[in-house]
């Protein structure tokens, strides 16, 4: 029993006549482990990228909400009244429409 353990620790099983089977198995296991490590690194990179994109989306959504609320505030009549120099006043009567005939346009162009 002690001899077998010493042979394993010394690596004598790797130089025996049937050692090519062991070497094939070791090569297979090494290849699988490298593939596994590579795929886990690729997944980690993608997860980090997804997280960063998610944070960027949250920032852009909050920026959109802020700008949208500012636009809505600017569109309010009370806000527009405050910003104008001449001050807007409510109309007592409805606005009227000017109708210009082609004759009037011709007449104005001749002058």
């Amino acid at each position: 029993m002690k001899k077998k353990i010493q042979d394993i620790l010394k690596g004598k099983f790797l130089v025996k006549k049937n050692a090519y089977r062991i070497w094939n198995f070791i090569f297979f296991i090494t290849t699988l482990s490298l593939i596994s490590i590579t795929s886990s690194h690729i997944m980690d990179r993608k997860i980090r990228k997804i997280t960063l994109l998610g944070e960027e989306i949250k920032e852009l959504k909050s920026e959109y909400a802020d700008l949208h609320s500012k636009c809505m505030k600017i569109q309010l009549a009370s806000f527009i009244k405050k910003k104008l120099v001449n001050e807007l006043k409510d109309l007592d009567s409805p606005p009227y429409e000017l109708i210009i005939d082609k004759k009037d346009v011709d007449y104005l162009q001749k002058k």
Side-chain angles (χ1 to χ4, degrees), residues 65 74 81 102:
I74 288 172
K81 283 181 184 179
K102 189 174 181 178

Side-chain angles (χ1 to χ4, degrees), residues 42-59:
I42 290 171
M43 280 187 358
D44 287 343
R45 255 188 258 139
K46 286 184 180 182
I47 289 171
R48 272 189 244 117
K49 187 175 181 180
I50 289 170
T51 304
L52 290 175
L53 289 175
E55 290 173 5
E56 187 177 350
I57 287 172
K58 286 179 184 177
E59 289 176 13

Side-chain angles (χ1 to χ4, degrees), residues 64-87:
Y64 168 77
D66 185 43
L67 290 174
H68 188 265
S69 65
K70 286 181 182 178
C71 286
M72 295 303 286
K73 183 180 177 185
I74 288 172
Q75 290 177 353
L76 291 175
S78 60
F79 185 81
I80 294 172
K81 283 181 184 179
K82 288 178 188 176
K83 290 292 181 182
L84 287 177
V85 177
N86 298 335
E87 293 287 326

Side-chain angles (χ1 to χ4, degrees), residues 84-99:
L84 287 177
V85 177
N86 298 335
E87 293 287 326
L88 286 179
K89 297 177 183 175
D90 292 327
L91 293 175
D92 296 333
S93 61
Y96 56 92
E97 180 179 350
L98 292 177
I99 300 174

